[in-house]
């Protein structure tokens, strides 16, 4: 088939709402866009284990510790589903890890903020996972089959993540003055970076329009961000916490909130590598990979030996 | 430094006894024992499985999507393979 025909049949599938599968022909840019997006998504899950891992040994009770361990383990699993989805597009696991470690590939900039208190673990589950879920629910209907299927699994598992975070926040908010202040402080620090997670405003987002045409994205950054604000503000009010935005106001006419301005300079600065923890996060990943080298070597040597034995 | 992620294995999970194994993703592992263990850790953390198969990805042969039309065409004009093709007298039972 010639290129034009292949392009036409691809466009028709997208138009009809059919999934694109690994062996289907696809335009180079569609492939490139998805490799970038899925691998960044995978990296975010993996790097996202670090800020929370920071509190596993200091969780305030055995229950909280079990839950946090399970949550962090889930994030690792989600990273692996996504790496495996990205590999179906023809990039190798090694290449992706190399791109993360060299700083070439990005991951969600939210994970470059530190987790200073226990309340931050609550805020991450509630806000960061909450924002991620909003995005991931949309991606369950993304046009690339393996990515959509990974998202279905992830969404199923994420729902406990957000609830456990909100539970931590609501318990703290109903506690002593100091506990409530700690919860409020965490909300103050995580609110704006959580809103930045949806990416630049539609007007400045270079990839959004094409991604929507390809049905990779079904909703734009701003649409998802507004939905998140509308859902989350009442949750904060319910437990007596205040969203740190002096311009926040209910707008009866649009049945949604009007709210303040995001500091996009901060966002771009963190993406460029100047956030509070960028260096620390990458170093932790590199070190984990290097320290695991002997295990991979030993496992490979063992596998080779077994194979020899079987052949003999 | 060795990257050495092992080979790629496709993972099939049976969710209940009696049901077919269904593809759910892939894992990397140097050998089949580790592939099974990795698949358990990655794909059945919430007791989703009663059995797992792992298959080296390169051992799988798949039909090609470009030829889909011609490849499956022979079945298209054989409606007599479906029970609804046949006329039976009204009122007759257990057919």
């Amino acid at each position: 088939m010639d290129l034009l025909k292949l392009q036409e049949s691809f466009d028709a599938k997208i138009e009809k709402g059919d999934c694109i599968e690994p062996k289907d022909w696809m335009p180079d840019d569609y492939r490139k866009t998805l490799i970038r997006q899925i691998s960044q998504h995978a990296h975010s899950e993996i790097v996202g284990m670090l800020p929370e891992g920071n509190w596993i040994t200091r969780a305030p009770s055995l229950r909280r510790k079990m839950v946090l361990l399970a949550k962090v383990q889930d994030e690792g699993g989600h990273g692996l589903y996504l790496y495996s989805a990205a590999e179906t597009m023809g990039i190798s696991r090694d290449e992706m890890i190399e791109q993360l470690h060299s700083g070439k590939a990005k991951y969600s900039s939210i994970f470059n903020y530190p987790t200073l208190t226990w309340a931050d673990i609550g805020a991450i589950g509630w806000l960061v996972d909450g924002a991620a879920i909003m995005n991931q629910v949309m991606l369950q209907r993304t046009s690339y089959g393996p990515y959509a299927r990974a998202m279905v699994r992830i969404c199923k598992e994420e729902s406990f993540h957000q609830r456990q975070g909100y539970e931590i926040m609501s318990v703290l908010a109903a506690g002593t003055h100091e506990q409530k202040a700690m919860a409020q402080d965490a909300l103050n620090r995580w609110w704006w970076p959580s809103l930045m997670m949806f990416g630049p405003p539609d007007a400045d987002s270079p990839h959004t329009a094409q991604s929507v045409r390809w049905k990779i994205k079904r909703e734009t950054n701003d649409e998802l961000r507004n939905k998140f604000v509308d859902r989350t503000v009442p949750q904060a009010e319910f437990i007596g916490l205040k969203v740190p935005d002096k311009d926040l106001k209910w707008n009866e006419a649009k049945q949604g909130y009007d709210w303040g301005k995001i500091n996009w300079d901060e966002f771009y600065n963190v993406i460029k590598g100047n956030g509070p923890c960028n260096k620390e996060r990458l170093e932790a990943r590199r070190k984990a990979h290097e320290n695991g080298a002997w295990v991979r070597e030993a496992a490979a040597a063992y596998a080779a030996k077994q194979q020899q034995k079987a052949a003999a | 430094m060795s990257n050495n992620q092992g080979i790629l294995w496709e993972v099939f999970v049976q969710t209940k006894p009696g049901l077919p194994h269904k593809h759910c993703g892939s894992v990397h592992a140097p050998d089949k024992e580790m592939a099974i263990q990795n698949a358990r850790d990655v794909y059945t953390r919430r007791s989703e499985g009663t059995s797992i198969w792992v298959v080296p990805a390169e051992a799988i042969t798949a039909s090609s999507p470009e030829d889909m039309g011609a490849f499956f065409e022979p079945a298209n004009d054989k409606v007599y393979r479906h029970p609804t093709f046949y006329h039976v007298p009204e009122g007759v039972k257990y057919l």
Side-chain angles (χ1 to χ4, degrees):
Chain A
M1 258 195 269
D2 58 57
L3 209 59
L4 200 70
K5 275 230 180 87
L6 289 168
Q7 177 76 48
E8 265 171 20
S9 111
F10 173 85
D11 291 343
K13 265 189 215 156
I14 295 283
E15 177 65 30
K16 219 176 114 194
D18 283 354
C19 272
I20 305 301
E21 293 295 336
K23 291 185 77 187
D24 291 346
W25 183 90
M26 59 191 90
D28 279 349
D29 282 343
Y30 178 84
R31 187 184 298 275
K32 258 189 229 152
T33 300
L34 272 167
I35 287 180
R36 195 192 63 238
Q37 183 172 333
I38 302 173
S39 64
Q40 284 183 10
H41 197 158
H43 298 327
S44 303
E45 301 281 357
I46 299 297
V47 177
M49 297 162 83
L50 299 171
E52 291 182 295
N54 180 33
W55 279 90
I56 290 176
T57 55
R58 292 173 289 160
S61 70
L62 188 57
R63 178 178 184 271
R64 295 280 186 225
K65 187 175 184 151
M66 284 187 323
V67 168
L68 188 56
L69 264 171
K71 180 180 188 293
V72 171
Q73 197 190 10
D74 269 356
E75 308 299 1
H78 296 173
L80 294 177
Y81 305 160
L82 287 160
Y83 281 132
S84 114
E87 284 176 87
T88 64
M89 301 215 98
I91 186 169
S92 73
R93 181 80 55 103
D94 284 339
E95 248 175 302
M96 286 187 275
I97 290 174
E98 167 58 31
Q99 287 176 356
L100 172 67
H101 292 179
S102 71
K104 186 180 168 230
K106 303 288 179 216
Y107 53 87
S108 185
S109 63
I110 191 96
F111 300 119
N112 291 316
Y113 292 87
T115 41
L116 303 177
T117 71
W118 171 250
D120 289 17
I121 299 307
I124 288 181
W126 173 34
L127 302 173
V128 177
D129 286 78
I133 289 170
M134 203 125 266
N135 194 34
Q136 291 172 161
V137 163
M138 165 192 78
L139 288 171
Q140 290 182 102
R141 294 179 297 124
T142 193
S143 58
Y144 187 57
Y147 193 23
R149 292 191 283 275
M151 282 301 125
V152 172
R153 289 189 75 87
I154 289 179
C155 285
K156 244 188 238 162
E157 299 182 352
E158 287 272 4
S159 50
F160 106 70
H161 297 182
Q162 193 185 15
R163 289 176 67 128
Q164 65 87 33
Y166 190 68
E167 189 191 79
I168 292 173
M169 289 303 260
S170 65
V171 167
L172 287 173
T176 63
H177 275 302
E178 286 85 353
Q179 285 171 324
K180 187 167 182 181
M182 190 195 271
Q184 182 62 55
D185 168 64
L187 172 57
N188 292 348
R189 282 181 290 109
W190 290 92
W191 177 255
W192 291 102
S194 297
L195 296 185
M196 294 175 198
M197 279 177 71
F198 295 96
D202 297 345
D204 306 328
S205 172
H207 307 298
T208 289
Q210 181 57 268
S211 285
V212 168
R213 271 198 298 279
W214 276 330
K215 296 187 181 161
I216 293 174
K217 279 184 173 185
R218 299 286 188 145
E219 288 166 273
T220 69
N221 297 353
D222 287 333
E223 285 164 2
L224 288 169
R225 187 164 19 239
N226 285 324
K227 213 194 255 185
F228 177 76
V229 171
D230 288 347
R231 288 190 186 177
T232 311
V233 170
Q235 294 169 354
E237 284 167 355
F238 197 90
I239 53 174
L241 296 180
K242 201 173 169 309
V243 169
D245 180 353
K246 60 178 175 24
D247 299 317
L248 185 78
K249 225 175 78 191
W250 178 253
N251 181 329
E252 190 62 32
K254 74 169 186 189
Q255 286 294 303
Y257 287 92
D258 292 327
W259 49 278
K261 273 209 163 60
I262 291 175
N263 179 358
W264 290 110
D265 291 341
E266 176 183 326
F267 175 73
Y268 289 114
N269 199 33
V270 176
I271 284 194
K272 260 186 243 152
N274 304 322
C277 302
N278 296 54
K279 264 180 107 177
E280 192 184 323
R281 299 289 184 241
L282 272 190
E283 261 165 34
R285 284 316 312 158
R286 277 191 216 117
K287 219 172 110 191
H289 192 65
E290 282 163 25
N291 290 344
W294 72 270
V295 180
R296 293 191 296 279
E297 278 162 23
Y302 178 76
K305 216 170 169 182
Q306 291 303 104
Q307 238 171 8
Q308 264 171 10
K309 258 192 206 162
Chain B
M1 187 192 48
S2 145
N3 266 323
N4 216 338
Q5 305 279 334
I7 65 166
L8 188 66
W9 303 75
E10 297 298 336
V11 179
F12 300 79
V13 172
Q14 180 193 49
T15 52
K16 271 185 205 150
L19 291 182
H21 289 65
K22 210 168 136 188
H23 182 248
C24 64
S26 58
V27 292
H28 283 260
D31 60 44
K32 54 191 179 185
E33 282 85 13
M34 283 189 77
I36 283 272
Q37 282 170 7
N38 290 352
R40 176 202 57 196
D41 293 344
V42 175
Y43 292 104
T44 61
R45 283 194 305 285
R46 285 168 177 74
S47 358
E48 296 98 330
T50 47
S51 164
I52 299 178
W53 292 347
V54 291
V55 182
E58 60 169 25
I60 294 181
T61 308
S63 62
S64 127
E66 282 100 58
D67 306 334
M68 185 178 82
F71 189 70
F72 292 106
E73 197 276 330
N76 287 347
D77 58 353
K78 295 177 179 62
V79 283
Y80 47 86
R81 283 178 173 161
H82 298 278
T84 47
F85 178 76
Y86 299 92
H87 303 286
V88 290
E90 213 161 303
V92 69
K93 283 183 181 168
Y94 308 122
L95 266 177

